[in-house]
Amino acid sequence: MVQLIDSYNRPINYLRISITDRCNLRCMYCMPKDGVSLLGHDDILRYEEIVRVAHVAVTTGISKIRITGGEPLVRKGIVDFVAALADIDGIQDLSMTTNGILLHADAVALRRAGLKRLNISLDSLNPEKYTMITRGGDINQVFAGIDKAQEAGFSPIKINVVAIRGTNDDEILSFARLSMDREVHIRFIEYMPVGMENGWKKERFISCTEIQNRIEELGHLSALPSDNGSGPAQMYKIKGAKGRIGFISSLSNHFCSTCNRLRLTPDGKLRTCLFSDAETDLKAFLRQGCSDAELEHIITDAILTKPQKHHATEPVFKKCVRGMSAIGG
Ligand code: SAM
Ligand code: SF4
């Protein structure tokens, strides 16, 4: 296997695959309240097509895959799809990001199918506030999903928290405390201006530095070395805690110089940067009957166009058109 290096000397080994733009929630920072106009059945890549892209991507150096969405667990046949990806030689890490609502039913089968790691999004520990942020979600389903996932052997569970000033920043310490007695990783993510209607405003943004300073009230945070699964998160631990705390500072301290990611959208577009709408239409090539060698070439060319850095914090930046639910975060 070759390891493709992009034009800025970054090895590209991580593919995030959004398998659906559909979701059973409507988080206020991700989707408009009436949802987004959904892709038609034929517009979505079939599982066989995604598996083929994954096979070819491995030949360019991809070794880590994350399944995301929309909500990946709403797509039928997900367990067999996970098994097909897990079966690909060269995939060393297979993970999923989910809102956890349907996880209770699927956790054991996903584990058996070969899923290695799970990230679960949970932006409030308060049932009413959770329902408000997700516009209808039931937090008890998420807790049931987390318990089942732990029983199924997923460890550690990572909890993603998008911090929003005036919405859930009053819960930063409660989330941090969870890491004291549970073996969970709490990962605070900066609120990002992705999608036209996700409510992002400067006043609602809260930086990881500010979150970290607030958590220091509970005890000193010692920095931990990054491991294979921590990605761009800077990981810390409060003294004596069973779990960890991570910070993903996509805006305040971007990690573009070490970005190793590609993203595949549900309609088969390959994106080389979360914040750029520049895309390569793999679906068109797949459906015109391209060979694996041609596909490899197309993926390689796309990798070489990966921008050096995002421009999301610059005054000229226009929010990208595609919403987070159609990119996969
Ligand atoms: N539905 C799944 C979930 O919520 O975990 C997977 C898809 S969701 C788009 C992937 C991740 O993106 C989630 O952790 C979510 O919180 C995060 N996300 C969505 N919109 C965001 C935004 N505007 N800023 C930061 N993170 C965001
Ligand atoms: Fe759905 Fe995830 Fe977006 Fe929430 S963050 S609306 S759960 S895709």
Side-chain angles (χ1 to χ4, degrees), residues 194-213:
V194 177
M196 301 312 281
E197 288 179 70
N198 84 336
W200 192 92
K201 286 198 187 101
K202 217 160 52 191
E203 307 77 71
R204 316 195 71 203
F205 172 77
I206 170 162
S207 73
C208 282
T209 310
E210 181 176 341
I211 300 170
Q212 189 171 341
N213 288 340

Side-chain angles (χ1 to χ4, degrees), residues 9-10 12 34 68 84 105 121 145 174 187 209 224 253 299 303 325 329:
N9 222 15
R10 297 169 295 198
I12 306 300
D34 299 324
T68 172
S121 302
S174 313
R187 293 147 39 100
T209 310
L224 299 169
N253 184 15
I299 295 174
I303 290 175
S325 61

Side-chain angles (χ1 to χ4, degrees), residues 242-263:
K242 287 193 178 154
R244 298 174 179 197
I245 297 177
F247 300 99
I248 303 182
S249 55
S250 322
L251 292 190
S252 66
N253 184 15
H254 68 74
F255 28 81
C256 302
S257 66
T258 54
C259 182
N260 58 350
R261 301 169 173 208
L262 292 180
R263 292 178 166 82

Side-chain angles (χ1 to χ4, degrees), residues 2-6 10-13 60-61 299-301 303-304:
V2 289
Q3 174 59 71
L4 214 81
I5 310 283
D6 76 358
R10 297 169 295 198
I12 306 300
N13 62 3
T60 71
I299 295 174
T300 303
D301 281 352
I303 290 175
L304 294 174

Side-chain angles (χ1 to χ4, degrees), residues 21-31 69-71 98-99 121 123 134 324-325:
D21 60 337
R22 286 160 206 256
C23 188
N24 44 5
L25 298 179
R26 296 278 178 274
C27 301
M28 52 183 267
Y29 54 77
C30 177
M31 275 206 193
E71 173 47 38
T98 168
N99 60 29
S121 302
D123 304 301
T134 56
M324 204 63 118
S325 61

